[in-house]
Amino acid sequence: MRYALRKVGLFALTLWAAVTLNFLLPRMMPGSPADAAIARLSQNGPVTDETRAAVEAQLGVPDGNILQQYLAYLDQVIHLDFGISYAFYPEPVSGLVATALPYTIVLVGTVTVIAFILGTLLGVLAAWRRGTWLDALPTVGGSFMNTFPYFWTSLLLLFFLGYVAHLFPTFGAYSATAVPGISWDFFVDILYHAALPAVTLLITSLGGWIIGMRNAMINTLGEDYVTFAEANGIGGRTVALRYAARNAILPNLTGFGLALGGVVGGSILVEQVFGYPGIGFLLFNAVIGQDYPLMQALFLMITVSVLVANLLVDILYGVLDPRTRR
Amino acid sequence: MTSNHPAQQAGPSGAGPSDVGPPEADPSDVEEILSLQDVSVVYEPVGAAPTHAVRGVSAQIARGEFVGLVGESGSGKSTLGFAITGLATAPARIEKGRILFRGRDIASMDQDSLRSQRQGGFAMVLQSGMNALNPVRTIRKHFHDIFAAHRHVPRARREERAAELVGKVSLGPEVLDLYPDQLSGGMRQRVTIALALSLEPQLMVFDEPTTALDVMVQHAVMDTIRDLQASEGFTAILISHDLGIVLESAQRVLVMHDGEIVEDAASADILHRPRHEYTRMLLSHYADPRAEVVTLPGLEDRAVLRSDDPSDASAENPASSSPEPADPSAEPPDPSAARSAPAAPAAPPAPAASSDGASSRRAPVSRLRSGGTELRLQGVSKVYPAARRSGRAVRAVDDVSFTLEPGGATALVGQSGSGKSTIAKLITGIERPSEGTVHLGDTSVGDLGRSGLRDLRRTVQMVFQDPYAALNPLNTVEYTLARAVMNLTDVRRDGARRRVRELLETVGLTPVEQFTGKLPHQLSGGQRQRVVIARALACDPQVIIADEPVSMLDVSLRAGVLSLLRDLRESIGVSLLYITHDLLSARLITDRILVLHDGKVVESGPTARVMRAPQDDYTISLLDAIPNPRRVLTP
């Protein structure tokens, strides 16, 4: 319990630092959004003072000293008020993020969890049956699939299964004709559209989990406590799972934490290729459209989700490994 | 499932033809529990040549016997132990022969029947009990896993049985709630013994059960094993590299060398009438540090100034070469007088032949010439602050004072945690003393800055315990030594190359050409440790701190490294601080000794006097913890 409290305290401190950095960094950059907009306008001709004042009024120029700005910013963060998007004017940033987030969490989050569980199980099996086909198939297959760049995999799947064979849709999160809402039809439609991007992500991330777990498990299989458990006649399944795999999974959890934290950042390329309206897609458009409020909100959210994922994994680690509690 | 039926114990009737074992010392009609018949084990690593670790071993072990299996590293003793307990796994393979346990061949048994044999059959306690427990399971769960696997203890009795078992190894039931990392090394090894015992085995194999433990703990754990063997009545096989431990416990000893059993005899016969030269060689490396005269082959006691022919000593039993081990309490301490008497300067300076020795031992000629640096510790303490607010500060070194004269040799002796390694860190400037001063000549080590510490490396060098870890496996001997020469001296290019050759000659790695291009893994443990010593000598230091330099080496290699360390004092006049828990080697190569306990010096003085007439209780208990077969076996 002391361990968990310590971790939460550390989390709060890091969170504050991240939020503050997110406030400071844009202010340390030279220029401002208004300057960028005016620079673009000036390509077409001279910019009058009235135009400049208008642009600044529209984008909002910070007032008050830096401390007042900081307090106002904190107040906005707490109320999840990140202003109005430039690229999707006049949509509020929070609304845009709220719409995109579920898609990404469902797609990337589910795939990450499935890939971790499936890859770990296959890795355990490969190490336990080392040297048999149960080892060779996932290991060789996993490293083979890992060598594919995922945008290439996604293009291949899109072309053959989507464009040529017409088995799957090639764009979007749901059909143009579907009625968004809580209904069975819409749910099936969502799954149907998520299939190709999900398979792409699964194919490219599975191999890493298999190989990581296999190698960790082969190491723990050589540990004395495994030999001693066998010498005591403890059954194979217990030795494999509770002695070898149970210890081998610990270092992999850290990797899982990082992967989970990355979920909210989305998968920019995959979402872009499949036209999937998740966070990655949004971030891409924010960068293209120099949409500072949207970018700032997205960066903050990505940072926070990495921190939260790490906190969860840290606490889980404490539960699973008694040594970290002391 | 039928395996632990008494009917099965009838003997090797169904398993094989007429079972003629080799003649034994006591061929009475005791029942054989284990019979090894021409067993060979081969290692077949993928992509490497196979190694025959055990070759055609035959032996019989009777029910209730306590048998020792002794050999140096690479002798195949652990491989045989794993084969006996059915744990030989790839790349090891039982090539031929039969291992009959109560008449049934283990070698050809499938995994399931093997597993059922483990309850009420054979059990094993592994070498490093430290790692034999699953770090994420409590001790209770370890017991319950075994009970669940064999179902030989009814569910309602399991908790009670687990408490009873830890009680048998002198632990309280509260350890059941703990995780392995909450136990000390000795407690962990006790728990593994209790776990093995929970199988109610008829045969227990102990593979180096105390090697990773401290001397005092070692002694206590061995006592527990002996008591249990007597009370529980299991048959025991004790595998060890330490003939002393084995002779003290076992009734019969099998001596293994190069995969073969070269001698199989009762312990008393091994000790007093060894037949094989390898057994004699092993025995020759044991001596009682309390004896009036202590010799090892190539390392004769320096009190004896008239050694006859040390090169021949390897073939003889120290029991015959030295006067009978005297009772230290009965005799007045007097060899110190003989020791300190400067008898040697009268003798003509002998050429530095390492095997010969006694004549010119005294005067560290070259260092006297160059002046030399004295190492002086005055009231040194080191306190490590508490790791956490709830913890307590640790006083690792407490008011230690001593002086190491130029060319002198002092031993720091104590069990782990006694502060001896912290003292080494204080002298090398890795740590700064909390109180007191460490002086090297006029330099106060504790006050040195970064560049001062770099200069200190030229004066003080260390030799570490593990020569495997102390050498970069990717660098040749020449590269390793040349780096040391160039880092610490101004010698470059051809000069550095010449210096490397000189160093190799100094440490006895000749012909030099054979060693310069070698990588660490191509050298034996003793050779590797010589390279480490050569590296320490690269800058011609004044003080060498050797931290357990021989504890990882086989006994037959120890004497060579020890005599090298001792001879360096005469040949180049370096002074030696020898950190060890091994009192015998301390007796052989040092003049003075400091016994440390909980950071304090509890006793100090001339080495021979302290060993022969120890005053402090702790020193006495350290000396008593040394395995002493003669104490048990001499009528």
Side-chain angles (χ1 to χ4, degrees), chain A residues 2 223-225 227-228 230-236 238 242-243 246-247 250 320-323 325-326, chain B residues 82 87 115 118 124 126 128 131-137 145-146 149-150 179 181-182 192 195 199 388:
Chain A
R2 187 108 126 295
E223 292 284 346
D224 282 335
Y225 50 78
T227 314
F228 188 56
E230 282 174 342
N232 290 336
I234 294 173
T238 310
R242 294 199 173 157
Y243 283 71
R246 179 69 169 66
N247 281 288
L250 294 174
L320 290 180
D321 189 347
R323 285 165 293 185
R325 274 175 248 156
R326 283 179 284 277
Chain B
F82 274 71
L87 289 172
R115 189 168 297 137
R118 298 196 185 278
M124 182 151 189
L126 291 172
S128 39
N131 306 323
L133 299 172
N134 187 344
V136 299
R137 282 179 102 59
D145 284 343
I146 294 178
H150 300 289
Y179 287 94
D181 67 308
Q182 292 171 296
T192 61
L195 285 168
L199 297 163
R388 234 174 282 153

Side-chain angles (χ1 to χ4, degrees), chain A residues 128-183:
Chain A
W128 186 243
R129 294 267 174 261
R130 197 179 170 184
T132 66
W133 67 270
L134 279 171
D135 179 17
L137 194 70
T139 312
V140 176
S143 29
F144 180 68
M145 292 190 307
N146 242 16
T147 57
F148 282 38
Y150 60 97
F151 55 90
W152 174 241
T153 313
S154 55
L155 285 176
L156 281 182
L157 290 175
L158 199 60
F159 182 75
F160 287 107
L161 297 182
Y163 187 74
V164 177
H166 291 289
L167 289 174
F168 289 97
T170 56
F171 186 87
Y174 50 89
S175 317
T177 55
V179 185
I182 301 176
S183 72

Side-chain angles (χ1 to χ4, degrees), chain B residues 342 344-345 360-374 404-408 540-542 568-575:
Chain B
S360 65
R361 276 284 136 76
R362 291 289 85 192
V365 184
S366 60
R367 190 57 74 200
L368 287 183
R369 194 179 54 227
S370 65
T373 310
E374 183 186 74
L404 176 58
E405 279 145 23
D540 197 14
Q542 318 244 1
L568 285 175
R569 294 172 49 203
E570 281 83 36
S571 57
I572 62 175
V574 66
S575 50

